[in-house]
């Protein structure tokens, strides 16, 4: 069991040691960071080289600005690849410790925080959300008009929203794009981006409670603000602002020293720049009002809104530490975050008969694989993972003892096929 934490100086040292030891096949230690040759964990170096060629090709063809790909197997890093640049306009190369906006990959971390609070007896997944956030004691739903006119009727929700509903995205809450979209727009609450907001997330979430949701609790999988609401629940039940709770209870024990909602000034130069696919086979630096896809509010914003659904910044090493903890059953390097049974509960399908993607269910914070054949891509039953709006992705495959982290910064991505090739080329490199 390892901690996958690093910084530039340490990584430079470790990489030098790796080069010196390559001929002997030795494992290489860099303080708390363990690297090994792929063959020692059942992967083929020459087959992983195929992935490197493909990733470099996306940069050469101007389809990706750059990124970091990390593969850990059996508790050891078998592959760490940087490609392209983190700031192409200024010629800044991609580094192993580059910091990325991980957007919805924040959801898994906040879901772990909720499970931690249940283990401490401070909440139950069956709790009505209104027990912790009184604004949610009674909620409403915008039901589409039966006459097909496109209108809707606002009715009382059939039952209270529970914490379990929020974890599984069955609370009936989207990102403000449902039948009553104009009411959400008037309230200034649409889209997943929060970093530019100059109010605490609790204030935003309390305003959500007064708006009509898109479906009755428990009746549909509907992706949206659920985990932002959970962030406010964590603040209330945990007695700390979300950033402080995550730092003290998850980031510090796992040595995730480069994971933040907003960057310390000393780290601004490590934030990878966001690019957009133009639709003409080229890339251009992305920018928008409020800083959603520029450097913007993550660097110079109000620093008031801690979005549990999409707000964190992190490195490949930090996020791999978090995932390795889950793969280990809630523990990393002698520091236990969750019990094994909580992790087991998080990583099984909770949707029952509710429709979702073919071959997949949804657990408490991420998808879960229920049928590899129905899904139609390499993987294993029991795999879980998710991704982020800036074109990042991750997954954990317990059967193969595999952790994969893939960070880049591209929005929109223009239908790029790199995620599919990443998966195919990692699984084809497994030899045992």
């Amino acid at each position: 069991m390892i901690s996958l934490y690093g910084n530039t100086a340490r990584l430079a040292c470790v990489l030098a040691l790796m080069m010196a030891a390559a001929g002997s096949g030795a494992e290489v230690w860099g303080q708390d960071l363990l690297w090994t040759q792929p063959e020692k964990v059942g992967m083929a170096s020459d087959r992983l080289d195929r992935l490197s060629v493909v990733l470099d090709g996306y940069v050469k063809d101007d389809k990706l600005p750059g990124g970091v790909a990390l593969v850990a197997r059996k508790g050891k890093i078998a592959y760490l690849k940087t490609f392209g640049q983190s700031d192409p306009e200024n010629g800044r190369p991609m580094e192993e410790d580059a910091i990325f906006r991980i957007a919805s990959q924040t959801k898994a971390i906040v879901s772990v925080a909720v499970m931690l609070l249940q283990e401490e007896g401070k909440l139950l997944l069956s709790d009505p959300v209104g027990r912790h956030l009184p604004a949610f004691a009674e909620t409403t739903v915008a039901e589409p008009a039966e006459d097909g006119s496109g209108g809707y009727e606002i009715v009382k929700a059939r039952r209270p929203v529970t914490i379990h509903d929020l974890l599984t995205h069955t609370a009936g809450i989207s990102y403000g794009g449902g039948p009553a979209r104009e009411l959400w727009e008037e309230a200034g609450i649409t889209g997943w981006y929060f970093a530019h907001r100059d109010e605490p997330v609790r204030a935003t979430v309390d305003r959500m409670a007064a708006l009509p949701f898109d479906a009755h609790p428990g009746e549909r999988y509907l992706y949206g603000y659920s985990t932002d609401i959970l962030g406010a629940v964590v603040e209330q039940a945990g007695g700390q602002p979300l950033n402080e709770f995550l730092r003290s209870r998850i980031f510090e024990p796992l040595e995730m020293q480069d994971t933040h909602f907003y960057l310390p000034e000393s780290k601004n130069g490590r934030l990878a720049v966001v690019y957009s696919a133009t639709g003409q086979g080229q890339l251009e630096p992305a920018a928008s009002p409020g800083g959603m896809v520029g450097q913007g509010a993550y660097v110079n914003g109000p620093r008031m809104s801690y979005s549990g659904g999409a707000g964190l910044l992190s490195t490949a090493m930090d996020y791999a530490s978090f995932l390795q903890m889950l793969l280990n059953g809630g523990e990393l390097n002698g520091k236990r975050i969750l019990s094994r049974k909580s992790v087991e509960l998080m990583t099984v399908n909770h949707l029952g008969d509710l429709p979702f993607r073919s071959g997949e269910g949804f657990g408490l914070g991420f998808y879960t694989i229920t049928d590899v054949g129905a899904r139609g891509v390499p993987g294993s039953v029991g795999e879980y993972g998710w991704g982020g709006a800036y074109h990042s992705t991750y997954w954990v495959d317990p059967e193969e003892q595999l952790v994969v982290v893939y960070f880049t910064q591209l929005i929109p991505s223009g239908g790029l096929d790199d995620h599919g090739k990443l998966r195919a080329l990692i699984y084809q490199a497994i030899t045992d």
Side-chain angles (χ1 to χ4, degrees):
M1 298 178 185
I2 59 170
S3 174
L4 304 174
Y5 164 71
N7 54 43
T8 302
R10 179 185 299 178
L11 285 165
C13 177
V14 172
L15 288 170
L17 289 169
M18 288 177 67
M19 293 174 63
S24 66
E27 293 179 348
V28 183
W29 285 89
Q31 296 183 38
D32 56 347
L33 181 64
L34 180 62
W35 306 69
T36 194
Q37 286 190 319
E39 283 72 16
K40 286 185 171 289
V41 291
M43 303 190 80
S45 298
D46 58 339
R47 285 180 166 266
L48 285 170
D49 287 343
R50 298 173 183 176
L51 176 57
S52 298
V53 171
V54 167
L55 294 178
D56 287 336
Y58 285 116
V59 175
K60 181 179 179 181
D61 294 340
D62 201 29
K63 294 181 178 179
L64 281 173
V68 178
L70 185 152
V71 179
R73 191 160 191 244
K74 301 180 181 179
K76 299 172 184 176
I77 299 175
Y79 180 86
L80 178 61
K81 165 73 173 176
T82 64
F83 57 99
Q85 297 178 311
S86 61
D87 184 356
E89 280 198 314
N90 293 304
R92 192 173 78 211
M94 186 63 68
E95 303 282 357
E96 290 89 349
D97 66 348
I99 296 173
F100 297 82
R101 304 154 190 78
I102 65 172
S104 286
Q105 292 188 209
T106 306
K107 290 178 169 69
I109 293 173
V110 171
S111 297
V112 164
V114 172
M115 301 304 292
L116 190 159
L117 287 169
Q118 176 168 262
E119 292 189 348
E120 295 178 345
K122 294 179 179 177
L123 57 75
L124 288 172
L125 303 193
S126 58
D127 284 350
V129 176
R131 184 171 298 172
H132 305 276
L133 306 178
F136 284 81
E138 292 188 4
T139 58
T140 59
V141 175
E143 291 186 341
E146 295 182 0
D147 60 7
S149 64
Y152 59 86
E153 179 185 2
I154 299 177
V155 300
K156 183 178 178 180
R158 295 189 180 112
R159 66 164 176 80
V161 175
T162 67
I163 291 175
H164 185 268
D165 293 330
L166 296 176
L167 284 165
T168 56
H169 293 280
T170 58
I173 304 167
S174 71
Y175 278 123
R181 178 183 179 88
E182 79 281 0
L183 298 181
W184 287 76
E185 289 176 343
E186 288 173 8
I189 308 174
T190 56
W192 50 266
Y193 184 75
F194 275 55
H196 65 298
R197 293 186 178 277
D198 59 358
E199 65 180 6
V201 71
R202 174 67 179 271
T204 310
V205 162
D206 280 349
R207 293 208 315 277
M208 288 181 192
L211 296 168
F213 299 165
D214 299 355
H216 289 277
E219 297 186 5
R220 284 177 57 192
Y221 173 89
L222 192 59
Y223 194 62
Y225 290 119
S226 288
T227 317
D228 289 293
I229 299 168
L230 284 173
V233 170
V234 170
E235 290 190 337
Q236 180 66 30
Q240 292 178 284
L242 185 61
N243 64 323
E244 294 180 12
F245 186 92
L246 297 183
R247 177 181 53 78
S248 63
R249 306 304 301 277
I250 298 175
F251 302 155
E252 288 182 352
L254 297 180
E255 299 182 16
M256 296 170 65
Q257 296 186 11
D258 288 323
T259 302
H260 310 277
F261 282 101
Y262 301 99
L263 281 183
E265 185 176 354
S266 62
K267 299 181 182 182
N268 287 351
R270 291 166 55 192
L271 182 61
V273 176
V274 181
Y275 273 68
S276 295
T278 64
Q280 287 79 44
Q282 295 178 323
L283 299 177
E284 62 183 15
S288 73
M292 183 183 82
V293 292
Q295 302 300 77
Y298 293 108
V299 173
N300 297 316
R303 297 175 179 252
M304 290 189 64
S305 185
Y306 304 119
S307 166
L312 284 173
L313 313 169
S314 192
T315 64
M317 289 291 194
D318 273 12
Y319 208 79
S321 289
F322 171 73
L323 297 179
Q324 188 69 45
M325 175 273 294
L326 291 175
L327 181 57
N328 291 347
E331 182 269 342
L332 188 69
N333 280 353
K335 297 175 182 178
R336 181 159 295 281
I337 305 299
L338 287 180
S339 70
R340 174 175 59 85
K341 297 305 292 185
S342 287
V343 175
E344 289 175 4
L345 183 62
M346 294 183 73
T347 56
V348 296
N349 179 30
H350 286 249
L351 293 185
D353 295 329
L354 295 181
F356 193 57
R357 302 187 303 214
S358 183
E360 297 182 14
F362 200 87
L364 304 181
F366 22 63
Y367 72 72
T368 62
I369 301 305
T370 58
D371 186 327
V372 175
R375 195 176 188 226
V377 297
S380 304
V381 171
E383 172 196 319
Y384 52 93
W386 203 243
Y390 296 101
H391 201 58
S392 61
T393 192
Y394 73 90
W395 73 88
V396 177
D397 184 336
E399 182 175 323
E400 296 294 344
Q401 300 179 62
L402 187 72
V403 166
V404 177
V405 178
Y406 178 72
F407 283 170
T408 187
Q409 302 279 258
L410 185 66
I411 184 172
S413 62
L416 197 61
D417 63 358
D418 55 329
H419 287 190
K421 289 188 176 179
L422 174 79
R423 176 174 289 274
L425 291 169
I426 287 173
Y427 279 104
Q428 64 85 35
I430 294 175
T431 58
D432 62 6

